[in-house]
Amino acid sequence: MTGTDHAVLVLRLAAPLQSWGGPSHYNRRETRPQPTKSGVLGLLSAAEGRGREAPLTDLLGLQLGVRVDQPGTLLRDYHTYSDYRGLPLLSAKANAKGQQTRTAPPKYTGVTQRFYLQDAVFVAALRGPKALIQGLEEAVRNPVFPLSLGRRSCPPTGPVSLGIRPDTRLEDALEEVPWQAGSHRRHQARSATVSLEATIEDPAGDQLAVDVPDTYDLKTGTRFGRRAVRHLWVTVPTGRTQRTTPAADTGTAGHSDHDPFALLGW
């Protein structure tokens, strides 16, 4: 249901690199193929200037929808780290007091695998109380802390906010937003419309996403709760006029303009 007391905030999440991690830890930091609720709420919290220990109660109720305008490709980063004080790295062992011990023999450099999405573009829509949505949109346009797409090393490209829309269903909002893919991708479009993958937060959804944070406090760590989602396809205009090619010109009689890769957003 929709009402005048709610609104929808639309965000464009684009950058050379993005990384939407989940419960991954230690030496392997993965990324999800789409922005997570934890990552999007973290961006909004940074925009408002909330500290890591600040409560998230008012943000957790926001309903999230994500559209994949340009899926990008996966990048694995060979990443080394060390203690800035020159101390040996911590080991996996703990002493009688429960404290991690240093490596023995001492090890000063470690290696991690960190994964990113490169050249990806997403549209995120958040539905919630109008007053909250208006405050968040103002914060995104004038952020207190620098905004990032999953990690601090991933600043967004261009303005993040695409504005506020009157209350509507998330799938309707995602269908109304123009295609946000990069110019090189749009120039490859062969038809007047493109089908884009979308994920909608829905209590009646048939799948679960484990990406709802309880806190961003580094001292206590984040525990991720579940939310129900459903997947769908939305069709949006590409801005191009449908082209028709006579069969005689292609050399294949009866050839159609069917493009199976359009379903993948390519």
Side-chain angles (χ1 to χ4, degrees), residues 25 245 256:
H25 299 289
T245 304
S256 69

Side-chain angles (χ1 to χ4, degrees), residues 1-2 6-11 37 61-67 123-128 133 165-177 198-203 227-230 232 234:
M1 295 181 62
T2 60
H6 281 62
V8 176
L9 170 62
V10 181
L11 307 176
K37 187 164 188 176
L62 293 174
Q63 186 183 10
L64 173 65
V66 174
R67 191 182 78 187
V123 170
L126 296 123
R127 179 180 180 270
I133 291 295
R165 284 164 170 71
D167 191 22
T168 184
R169 299 187 309 162
L170 287 179
E171 49 262 59
D172 293 335
L174 293 178
E175 287 179 349
E176 295 170 359
V177 179
T199 301
I200 302 293
E201 187 171 341
D202 185 346
R227 63 189 177 104
V229 300
R230 58 185 173 90
L232 65 154
V234 296

